[in-house]
């Protein structure tokens, strides 16, 4: 679907009003930060290693956070249960790894990748389905009330986490990273874990897809409009409820994808693994600006890079580096890097 | 009461585009509409008048399905729509401009109009015509609609309703907050729409404007229709005006 | 320049008040003085900057340039609440109430602000019978007494407008700013509000600013008319003269044929 | 942030209750006879707990209920009345707890050190609450909540890092002043068949402070100040335009609420003779508080009493009940597993969901709707 | 009259798995030692299991309840060190024995100890001495540590340093790296560790002291072998050690590994556990078993459940466990016990066949200092 009205009629362009401009400043923040870190780190190869690792970690955080920013920002729903979808996505790999464990230890890149993609597909399917149920049973009755959302999704989280315990047991479960993705590429003194390269690929793909979907179709518009005034959207003839369900389901599926990526990174499954990253995820969304997919992307990278640099330069501060980033960004831009809507 | 409810007296005429029969609406514990009968003939402009709190807005919202009629029938184009969900009512061909305007303030003017055109790109000729009616929208094409002035928001709300041809327009107090010059062009706009064959149900407080526009007039009070008939009859009858609306035309303007 | 008593000390004055949104200048160097006892109507086409001007005066927006003076004191840097405390009262164009407090409570809060009772922590609010009585009296005046226990969300649009006016009256400010108080009000209700404004005006010491599109209202109430167009002050003076001026006739009333 | 506290409409009602009790309750009476009866029951049970129930568990539960009533009421001042969603409330609870714990551990078990600890805790809470309020109550509500979440987690990290003072993850165990120890016996003879000891005195200390604190909070929310808070909750923009300095009022509300939470934390530490991060600082307590407010009914302090009582009872006895249930159901398929005591969290989660649905306006809202006096 | 024992554990919450092991081990221990009768001298042994949800305050309340309301004779617990520490004063107030299992904090038998406290679990210092003992005894060894940045991690490193000083003077800790407790990205830490070690002569070892999700694969994937650096991961529960399989040859010390001890008690435990749960017993199963053995041996020796007699009997008492005999040291009531020096297997038969035993480190090779005040 393409925009109905692409540009204003010709004579409008002459009007003196400035057009909405892309805001490049936050984007410049990432390279600026990297450059600033270079002299501080000193050693170039260490700097490259840290920077690459940070970028890749940022992608993984982005994958986990993107679903939440979608749901949180567009639909104005705080899903504290998002973490459990990450866990669920992670555990879903077991469904694939059970019968196909051989593919993981095979030395073939293709088999390994196929296995990963299969895991992703299954995980996204599972989390999407659970997301649909979650939306229907848990979230729908509390649209509009953040507080109740927090409580209800928290309840959903506890129940789902217990369900994971009941199905897969309480002990941590190790999972094998496919053979060819183990270890690292070494270029002189610089090392880059292979898995991180893969994560960068997936992250970029998802980012681009989301951008296209939200900016090139009217779905994004409809959701934003629907959050502000669902009645009016219905009066315009759109079935907004159905759309909301799909957004929630998409958000859950993205969490599932993030979960798979995170699972293979951690190589151990625990039911609480999703919850553990939630504070980080929230920070990233806030830094980016609620609901901004681009902001979430930049925010993730920023947070991960800072964590790496700080971890190297002043490990004592690493504990609070995320909060530091958030505080600085909010002082600079109280609405986050890319403020989206003022609700 | 001299005036018979519209539904009964008009039944010999061809089926009107919209007909309400004995519509009751409750909002929570409040009983707001107490059995509304009215009809809107196709191709004409019908004015809905009444004091504050008479139930005009409630009537429009009930037609749109935004509030559910607790009893009674609403027939649109021969089809019962009282039980349909709002999107289906809109898809049946009814456009609605709410009293609060209902613009999406996070979205730009352009995006507001894009959404209003449900079936695809806006016809360029129609767009030109719309922007000719409301030049301010052209100027603020890419501004978030929340930043528009009160009157500009009103224009946007109406532009949205006419972005695509619809069978019936429900408009709640469109001239509220418009400068006289804009009221004039709004009147022109509705004339033009009527000329283009659209059917319009218009709520208006500005009786002066209303008297220039309407073919028919319906007056409500206390959740009931208390008068319906031709506009020119009401314009001619000062006593009736005084009784129904508490004014005479001369007092205003 | 003001037609009425140019020597009287202004209750409110703006000097070169300007605000830009990006490249758009919504209010452009507006200098104006408003003296006590005068009712000034501010008119202009939609989007002329009237509401924005009010926002700048009452502090909801920060000016890009220029000053706002209340009784000679510069309040340009102050928050809306501080300006309200100095006697600037404001009613809003789009109804802006406490949606889930009752009508009476809405008004009582305004009365309480005027009485500077907000920081009383250890006495019970309902003990202040005087404030409640005052609020009820005001509701009586705007003919909402029978709806005093109704919340604004359950009031019809016109009644909400009246409540908005009631809040402004309850604040009892030195400068009253009405932004289209009668918009959406049914014709038989309009006189009630006009009477209220007339009352305020007749008290003598109040300064009233009124944005209104209904020309009959403007004609019957205003001592002076200020015209804004594209953010700029383009005319200022006696009502009859201003209304007759070509710019108002054309740009505002849309009467192209009229000349003088 | 949107929230849905109980509408305040009825407060304007024409009839105004009279009498000294009404004065104590700031004329904000329960306004439902069922609610009045329940509240009376709770108060009586709490008041007579040491004499009604034997054993240490009921008394511990009663003490915990008291502490949480105060804590939840203080949070309701913020959430229900002012519309501020803060996740940093446990931080103040923790400051109170640590104030007492550190003072008693360092300065020895005397009343003087308890007073010093409490005073320092209160001062720190006030400063922190004011600073957070002034700096960040200007931003959007949702950002404020997230900022408080971050601050609270930073403080938790700090508490864990400064293990030299706070005992880190392990927390601090300490001794109470002699009069509050189990060995202290003020009366030679048993009173009403119960031999009164220091534990029971400590319990009554906690109860007294809770009652006092609750009545004070009730007064605050029913004062002109409290009404301004509610106005701000409904429409801060309009409140500002009416001449109320929103940031100042909000900050004042957070400071008052923080002080009350600090007192609650101090009481908690006194009762447990222990304080640690999990006891007062953890996020799960924050969520419990939220739930208690919502179950009870936001924007009505009586809701805090009901919510805290119900939740603490559920938390204390759910596992026991489930144990019994599981035993009773033994032999059936699946069911005994579902009600196995180790699955109590599952039921807690369900309780979260169900209570939000079952009581959209909280229990108090529900009762007031159905049973007017 | 029944013998009542309370078993307090963090049965719900993140360490549910640990608590389950403890409980299973404790019950199997009682079963084995009473030869299935679950009674002693005709007195039925009644175990009351309580869940403290890892909360210190709750643990404390539950223990009070156990002693006062349930009138238990001996209490055993608990999973979290914080909770265990909070419980200690309660035992003293009530004058009844508390056997601490499996909490490891040194302070339990150190500064916070009282005479009713006995611990069957190993303490952090024992872990550290074990790790030190697994370090080569000769030649120059440079060690860098990676630990979590809180009391547990810092104490662990301090203990390791004093252990090295005591038994491996040839090894030096040259660098200490502390990462946030919940860190997941270890690139920066690894970089710093490598930078610190790579130019050192002799053996270069990274000792990881970590509770929870193990950073081993993250460090190993960055190829420390480029600089000749080895990693000593330390022992862990079986599921956590399964990732070790990818890095055969690593050496370290562990508290219990089912295949290491050779005695009838362990043989029975392994066989029976495998039969009942389909997996070999783990860390905390052995611990629970040992606690049961300590309790029963003490009752036997004291001839009943009188608390004072129990305390007297337990001081210096030696009792059998799946790890062989342990002894409660007279001074601080810490059970002295063996540790195992392991090497990661190259090709295990199944997912739990992970380690080769290099050597059993006898208790007397681990001169754990006494830290309490009597
Ligand atoms: N949400 C609501 N809850 C309860 N009562 C309502 C609600 N909305 C409107 N009412 C009541 O219903 C009646 C009719 O209201 P309605 O808005 O339809 O009047 P109206 O004719 O449009 O008036 P106006 O000209 O002032 O807009 C009024 O008495 C009003 O108070
Ligand atoms: N935040 C903003 N960003 C950009 N433009 C703005 C913003 N706020 C107002 N404007 C523009 O400034 C102009 C003045 O608006 P204002 O609301 O003051 O008009 P007005 O005179 O009150 O009109 P009306 O009679 O329609 O209410 C309008 O064109 C509006 O679009
Ligand atoms: Mg209306
Ligand atoms: Mg305006």
């Amino acid at each position: 679907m393409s925009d109905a009205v692409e540009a204003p009629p010709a004579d409008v362009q002459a009007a003196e009003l400035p057009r909405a401009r892309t805001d490049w400043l936050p984007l410049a923040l990432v390279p600026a930060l990297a450059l600033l870190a270079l002299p501080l780190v000193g050693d170039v190869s260490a700097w490259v290693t840290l920077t690459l690792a940070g970028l890749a970690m940022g992608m993984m955080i982005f994958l986990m956070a993107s679903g939440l920013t979608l749901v949180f920002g567009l639909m104005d729903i705080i899903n504290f249960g998002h973490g459990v979808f990450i866990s669920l996505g992670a555990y879903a790999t077991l469904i694939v790894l059970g019968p196909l464990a051989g593919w993981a230890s095979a030395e073939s890149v293709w088999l390994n990748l196929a296995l990963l993609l299969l895991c992703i597909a299954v995980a996204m399917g599972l989390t999407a389905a659970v997301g649909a149920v979650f939306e229907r049973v848990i979230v729908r009755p509390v649209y509009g009330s953040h507080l109740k959302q927090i409580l209800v999704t928290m309840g959903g989280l506890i129940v789902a986490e217990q369900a994971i315990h009941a199905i897969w047991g309480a002990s941590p479960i190790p999972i094998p990273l496919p053979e060819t993705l183990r270890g690292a590429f070494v270029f002189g003194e610089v090392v880059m874990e292979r898995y991180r390269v893969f994560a960068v690929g997936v992250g970029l793909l998802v980012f681009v897809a989301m951008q296209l979907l939200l900016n090139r179709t009217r779905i994004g518009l409809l959701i934003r409009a629907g959050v502000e005034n669902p009645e009016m959207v219905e009066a315009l003839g759109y079935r907004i409820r159905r759309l909301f369900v799909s957004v929630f389901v998409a958000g859950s599926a993205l969490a599932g994808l993030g979960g798979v990526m995170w699972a293979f990174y951690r190589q151990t499954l625990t039911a609480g693994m999703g919850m553990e990253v939630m504070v980080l995820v929230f920070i990233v969304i806030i830094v980016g600006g609620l609901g901004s997919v681009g902001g979430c992307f930049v925010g993730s990278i920023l947070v991960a890079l800072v964590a790496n640099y700080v971890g190297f330069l002043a490990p004592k501060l690493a504990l609070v580096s995320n909060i530091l980033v958030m505080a600085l960004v909010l002082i600079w831009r109280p609405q986050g890097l890319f403020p989206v809507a003022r609700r | 009461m001299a005036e018979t409810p519209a539904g009964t007296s008009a039944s010999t005429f061809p089926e009107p585009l919209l007909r309400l029969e004995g519509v009751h609406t409750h909002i929570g514990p409040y009983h707001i509409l107490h059995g509304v009968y009215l009809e809107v003939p196709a191709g004409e402009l019908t004015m809905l008048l009444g004091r504050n709190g008479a139930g005009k807005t409630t009537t429009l919202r009930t037609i749109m399905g935004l509030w559910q009629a607790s009893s009674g029938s609403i027939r649109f184009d021969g089809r019962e729509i009282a039980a349909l969900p709002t999107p289906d009512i809109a898809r049946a061909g009814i456009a609605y401009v709410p009293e609060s305007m209902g613009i999406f303030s996070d979205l730009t003017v352009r995006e507001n109009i894009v959404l209003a055109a449900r079936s695809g790109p806006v016809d360029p000729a129609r767009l030109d015509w719309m922007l000719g009616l409301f030049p301010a929208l052209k100027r603020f094409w890419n501004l978030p609609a929340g930043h528009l002035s009160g009157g500009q928001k009103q224009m946007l709300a109406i532009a949205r309703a006419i972005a695509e041809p619809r069978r019936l327009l429900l408009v709640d107090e469109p001239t509220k907050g418009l400068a006289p010059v804009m009221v004039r062009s709004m009147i022109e706009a509705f004339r033009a729409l009527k000329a283009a064959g659209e059917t319009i149900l218009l709520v208006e407080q500005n009786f002066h404007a209303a008297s220039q526009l309407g073919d028919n007039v319906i007056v409500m009070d206390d959740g009931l229709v208390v008068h319906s008939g031709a506009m020119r009859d009401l314009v001619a009858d000062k006593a009736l005006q005084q009784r129904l609306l508490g004014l005479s035309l001369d007092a205003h303007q | 320049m003001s037609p009425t008593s140019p020597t009287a000390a202004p209750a409110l004055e703006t000097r070169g008040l300007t605000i830009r949104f990006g490249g758009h200048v919504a209010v452009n160097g507006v200098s104006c003085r408003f003296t006590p006892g005068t009712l000034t109507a501010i008119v202009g086409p939609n989007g002329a900057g009237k509401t924005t001007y009010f926002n700048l005066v009452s502090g909801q927006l920060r000016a890009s340039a220029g000053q706002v003076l209340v009784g000679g004191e510069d309040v340009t840097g102050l928050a809306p609440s501080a300006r309200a405390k100095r006697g600037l009262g404001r009613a809003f164009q789009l109804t802006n109430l406490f949606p889930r407090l009752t009508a009476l409570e809405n008004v009582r809060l305004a009365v309480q602000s005027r009485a500077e009772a907000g920081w009383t922590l250890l006495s019970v609010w309902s003990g202040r019978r005087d404030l409640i009585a005052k609020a009820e009296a005001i509701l009586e005046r705007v003919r909402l007494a029978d709806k005093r226990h109704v919340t604004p969300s359950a009031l019809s649009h016109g009644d909400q407008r009246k409540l908005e006016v009631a809040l402004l009256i309850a604040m009892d400010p030195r400068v009253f700013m009405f932004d289209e108080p009668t918009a959406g009000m049914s014709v038989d209700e309009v006189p009630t509000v006009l009477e209220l404004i007339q009352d305020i005006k007749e008290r003598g010491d109040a300064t009233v600013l009124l944005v209104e599109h209904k020309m009959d209202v403007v004609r019957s109430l205003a001592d002076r008319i200020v015209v804004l167009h594209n953010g700029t002050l383009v005319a200022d003076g006696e009502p009859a003269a201003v209304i007759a001026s070509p710019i108002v006739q054309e740009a505002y009333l849309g009467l192209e044929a009229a000349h003088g | 942030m949107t929230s849905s506290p109980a509408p305040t409409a009825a407060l304007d009602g024409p009839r105004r209750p009279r009498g000294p009790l009404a004065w104590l309750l700031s004329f904000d009476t329960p306004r439902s006879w069922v609610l009045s009866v329940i509240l009376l029951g709770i108060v009586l049970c709490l008041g007579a707990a040491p004499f009604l129930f034997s054993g240490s568990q009921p008394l511990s539960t009663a003490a915990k209920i008291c502490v949480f009533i105060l804590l939840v009421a203080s949070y309701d001042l913020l959430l229900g009345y002012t519309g501020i969603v803060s996740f940093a409330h446990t931080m103040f609870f923790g400051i109170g707890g640590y104030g007492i714990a550190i003072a008693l551990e360092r300065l020895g078990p005397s009343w003087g050190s308890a007073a010093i600890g409490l005073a320092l805790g209160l001062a720190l809470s006030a400063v922190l609450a004011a600073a957070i309020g002034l700096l960040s109550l200007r931003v959007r509500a949702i950002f404020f909540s997230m900022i408080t979440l971050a601050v609270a987690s930073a403080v938790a990290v700090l508490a864990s890092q400064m293990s030299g003072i706070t005992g880190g993850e392990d927390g601090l165990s300490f001794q109470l002043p002699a009069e509050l120890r189990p060995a202290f016996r003020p009366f030679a003879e048993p009173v009403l068949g119960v031999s009164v000891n220091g534990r029971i005195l400590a319990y009554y200390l906690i109860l007294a402070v809770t009652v006092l604190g609750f009545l004070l909070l009730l007064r605050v929310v029913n004062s002109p100040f409290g009404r301004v808070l509610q106005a701000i909750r409904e429409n801060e923009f309009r409140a500002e335009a009416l001449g109320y300095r929103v940031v100042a009022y909000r900050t004042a509300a957070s400071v008052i609420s923080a002080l009350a939470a600090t007192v609650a934390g101090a009481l908690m530490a006194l009762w447990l003779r222990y304080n640690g991060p999990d006891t007062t600082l953890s996020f799960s307590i924050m969520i419990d508080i939220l739930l208690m407010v919502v179950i009870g009914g936001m924007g009505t302090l009586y809701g805090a009493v009901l919510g805290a009582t119900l939740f603490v009872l559920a938390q204390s006895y759910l596992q026991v009940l489930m144990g019994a249930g599981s035993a009773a159901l033994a032999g059936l398929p699946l069911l005994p597993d579902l009600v196995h005591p180790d699955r109590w969290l599952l039921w807690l989660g369900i309780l979260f969901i169900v209570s939000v649905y079952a009581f959209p306006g909280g229990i108090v809202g529900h009762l007031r709707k159905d049973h007017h006096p | 009259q029944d013998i009542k024992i309370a078993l307090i554990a963090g049965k719900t919450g993140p360490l549910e798995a640990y608590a389950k092991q403890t409980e299973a081990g404790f019950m199997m221990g009682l079963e084995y030692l009473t030869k299935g009768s679950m009674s002693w001298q005709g007195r039925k042994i009644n175990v009351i299991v309580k869940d403290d949800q890892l909360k210190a305050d709750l643990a404390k309340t539950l223990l009070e309840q156990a002693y006062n309301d349930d009138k238990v004779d001996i209490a055993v617990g608990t999973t979290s060190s914080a909770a265990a520490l909070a419980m200690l004063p309660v035992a003293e107030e009530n004058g009844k024995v508390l056997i601490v299992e499996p909490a490891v904090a040194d302070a339990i038998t150190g500064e916070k100890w009282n005479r009713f406290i006995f611990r069957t679990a190993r303490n952090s210092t024992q872990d550290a001495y074990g790790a030190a003992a697994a370090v080569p005894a000769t030649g120059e060894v440079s060690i860098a540590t990676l630990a979590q940045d809180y009391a547990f991690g810092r104490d662990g490193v301090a203990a390791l340093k004093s252990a090295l000083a005591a038994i491996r003077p040839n090894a030096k800790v040259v660098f200490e790296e502390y990462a946030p407790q919940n860190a997941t990205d270890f690139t920066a830490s690894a970089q710093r560790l490598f930078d610190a070690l790579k130019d050192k002569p002799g053996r270069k070892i990274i000792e990881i002291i970590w509770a929870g999700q193990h950073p081993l694969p993250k460090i190993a994937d960055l190829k420390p072998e480029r600089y000749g650096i080895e990693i000593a991961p330390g022992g862990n529960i079986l599921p956590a050690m399964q990732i070790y399989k990818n890095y055969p040859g690593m050496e370290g010390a562990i508290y219990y590994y089912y295949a290491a001890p050779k005695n009838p008690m362990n043989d029975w435990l392994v066989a029976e556990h495998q039969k009942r749960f389909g997996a070999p017993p783990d860390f905390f199963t052995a611990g629970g078993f040992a606690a049961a053995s300590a309790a029963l041996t003490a009752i036997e020796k004291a001839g009943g459940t009188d608390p004072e007699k129990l305390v007297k009997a337990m001081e210096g008492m030696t009792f059998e466990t799946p790890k062989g005999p342990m002894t409660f040291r007279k001074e601080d009531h810490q059970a002295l016990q063996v540790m195992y020096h392991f090497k990661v297997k190259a090709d295990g038969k199944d997912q739990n066949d992970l380690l080769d035993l290099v050597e059993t480190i006898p208790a007397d090779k681990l001169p754990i200092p006494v830290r309490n005040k009597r």
Side-chain angles (χ1 to χ4, degrees), chain C:
Chain C
M1 31 187 260
S2 161
T4 49
S5 56
T7 46
L12 170 69
E13 179 179 0
T14 64
R15 293 183 186 153
L17 207 55
T18 302
I19 187 165
R20 285 179 213 94
F21 298 114
H24 179 68
V25 190
V27 172
N28 193 358
V30 174
S31 301
C32 210
R33 307 159 136 239
F34 304 92
T35 44
T38 331
L39 189 148
T40 311
I42 300 177
V43 302
N46 294 114
K50 305 177 295 290
T51 301
T52 309
Y53 181 66
F54 271 15
N55 281 335
L56 290 172
V57 170
S58 59
Q60 268 79 29
L61 285 174
R62 283 283 143 101
S64 317
Q67 288 154 299
V68 180
L69 294 94
V70 178
E73 184 194 354
D74 190 345
V75 299
T76 319
L78 298 183
S81 54
R83 299 190 196 197
K85 285 262 172 278
R86 282 167 180 69
L88 279 182
R90 165 92 194 268
F92 291 86
Q93 178 175 14
L94 301 176
T95 309
N96 201 337
L97 298 159
F98 303 109
R100 289 185 309 151
L101 303 180
T102 61
L104 177 63
E105 184 63 3
N106 268 277
V107 180
R108 202 195 59 83
L109 276 160
V111 175
Q112 174 182 301
S113 168
R114 180 74 179 104
E116 311 261 349
W119 284 102
T120 320
L121 270 84
L122 291 181
S123 69
V124 181
W125 67 271
S126 51
R128 290 294 299 267
R129 299 259 117 197
D130 54 328
L131 300 186
I132 298 174
K134 205 163 161 195
E136 294 196 320
I138 291 169
L139 281 179
E140 199 79 48
R141 279 174 74 191
V142 297
R143 292 214 235 149
L144 278 177
D146 54 332
K147 303 216 162 120
R148 56 148 95 56
H149 294 310
V150 179
T151 55
S153 52
L155 286 177
S156 78
H157 179 80
D159 287 342
Q160 292 185 15
R161 300 294 307 154
K162 287 196 278 181
L163 189 54
E164 183 78 47
V165 172
L167 250 66
L168 177 51
I169 294 174
M171 282 174 77
D172 191 21
R174 286 159 63 187
V175 180
F176 291 76
M177 295 189 277
F178 291 98
D179 199 348
E180 299 194 35
T182 67
M185 208 173 272
S186 60
V187 259
D188 58 332
E189 301 277 12
V190 172
T192 321
V193 174
L194 298 190
E195 268 163 40
L196 282 171
I197 300 178
Q198 191 75 40
D199 278 359
I200 294 168
K201 190 179 135 186
E202 268 155 23
R203 246 176 41 197
D205 56 344
T207 312
V208 185
L209 275 63
L210 172 70
V211 170
E212 185 54 75
H213 285 306
K214 295 195 177 105
M215 285 317 282
D216 48 341
V217 172
V218 171
R219 261 194 223 104
S220 69
L221 282 178
D223 303 314
R224 167 189 174 200
I225 296 183
V226 168
V227 183
L228 287 184
H229 188 63
N230 285 337
T232 318
L233 195 158
V234 292
D236 180 353
E238 286 269 280
V242 171
I243 292 177
S245 68
I247 176 108
V248 171
Q249 289 288 318
E250 266 174 53
Y252 186 60
L253 298 175
L255 303 171
E256 293 175 38
H259 286 291

Side-chain angles (χ1 to χ4, degrees), chain D:
Chain D
M1 254 188 168
T2 40
S3 52
S4 35
T8 41
L11 286 184
D12 297 332
R15 269 178 298 147
R16 182 184 177 205
R18 290 166 197 288
L21 184 64
W23 180 85
L24 262 185
L25 298 178
S26 307
F27 304 102
D28 180 6
T29 48
R31 295 205 316 280
S32 145
W33 63 267
V34 181
L35 179 58
S36 308
V37 170
I38 297 177
L39 286 172
L40 199 68
I42 293 176
V43 171
L44 286 180
C45 282
L46 288 179
F51 302 97
L52 286 180
F53 313 102
S54 66
S56 60
Q57 198 193 7
L59 197 61
S60 289
T61 310
K64 206 170 164 194
I65 289 177
C66 290
V67 171
F68 272 91
I69 287 177
L70 186 56
L71 182 63
V72 172
S74 71
Y75 190 67
D76 196 27
L77 170 66
L78 218 53
L79 180 70
Y81 287 89
T82 322
I84 299 175
V85 183
S86 158
F87 289 116
H89 209 58
T90 45
M91 178 170 92
F92 302 114
F93 190 48
I95 290 177
Y98 276 114
I100 290 287
I102 295 171
L104 287 179
E105 209 227 13
R106 288 292 157 106
L107 307 176
S110 74
W111 289 103
S113 26
I116 293 174
L118 182 61
L120 288 181
L122 287 173
L124 180 60
S125 288
V127 170
L128 259 178
I132 297 178
L134 289 175
L135 289 180
S136 49
L137 275 173
R138 297 165 197 279
V139 302
R140 271 169 61 191
I142 185 81
F143 278 94
F144 178 78
S145 340
M146 295 301 152
I147 288 171
T148 53
L149 186 63
V151 170
S153 70
V155 166
V157 167
L158 205 69
S160 144
Q161 284 285 295
M162 303 197 323
S163 50
I165 304 171
T166 60
E169 300 289 304
D170 295 340
L172 294 171
S173 287
F174 53 90
Q175 276 293 347
L176 292 183
E179 291 79 7
L180 299 181
R181 290 187 206 158
F184 180 74
R185 313 246 162 203
F187 311 111
E189 297 297 307
V191 181
L192 298 172
V194 175
S195 65
V196 175
N197 64 13
R199 287 300 272 165
I200 294 180
L201 291 188
Y203 173 73
Y204 277 110
L205 175 68
I206 289 168
L207 183 63
V209 175
T210 299
V211 169
L212 194 71
F214 182 82
L215 291 179
L216 268 176
L217 285 173
L218 200 57
R219 180 55 61 94
V220 168
V221 299
N222 285 294
S223 68
F225 172 79
R227 305 302 285 183
V228 177
L229 296 185
Q230 289 168 57
I232 290 174
R233 172 190 82 193
E234 294 299 320
N235 187 346
E236 75 172 88
F237 178 82
R238 191 60 164 118
E240 178 83 30
L242 280 186
Y244 296 114
R245 273 190 64 205
V246 169
V247 174
Y249 278 91
R250 281 201 173 143
T251 306
S254 0
V255 171
I256 295 172
S257 143
L259 291 179
T262 309
V263 172
L267 295 182
M268 190 78 193
L270 278 181
W271 180 252
L272 293 174
R273 292 159 295 153
Y274 166 84
N275 190 49
D278 278 346
T279 316
T280 47
L281 282 180
S282 80
F283 186 66
S284 67
I285 294 185
M286 191 64 242
I287 294 295
D288 293 350
I289 298 175
L290 269 172
L291 191 65
M292 291 184 233
V293 174
V294 172
I295 293 183
M298 268 185 276
T300 141
L301 289 185
Y302 296 113
V305 180
L306 256 59
T309 308
L310 262 184
F311 187 83
V312 174
L313 280 180
Q315 214 183 22
S316 312
Y317 292 103
L318 192 59
Q319 264 182 315
V320 181
L321 267 181
M322 289 176 65
S326 173
L329 293 172
L332 295 175
L334 194 67
L335 269 177
D337 276 346
L338 277 183
V339 291
H340 191 276
D342 290 358
R343 290 275 85 84
W344 77 281
L345 272 170
L346 178 76
W347 291 93
L348 186 77
I350 292 174
L351 180 74
F352 266 60
I353 299 169
V354 169
S355 56
V356 172
Y357 290 162
F359 306 111
I363 298 177
V364 170
H366 195 72
L367 291 178
R368 281 186 175 164
K369 201 167 58 194
D370 293 355
H371 313 273
H372 272 293

Side-chain angles (χ1 to χ4, degrees), chain E residues 193-207:
Chain E
L193 287 166
F194 296 169
D195 284 353
L197 281 181
K198 64 183 173 193
D199 301 323
K200 294 280 181 299
R203 298 274 293 265
K204 295 172 269 197
I205 301 176
I206 297 176
E207 287 277 354

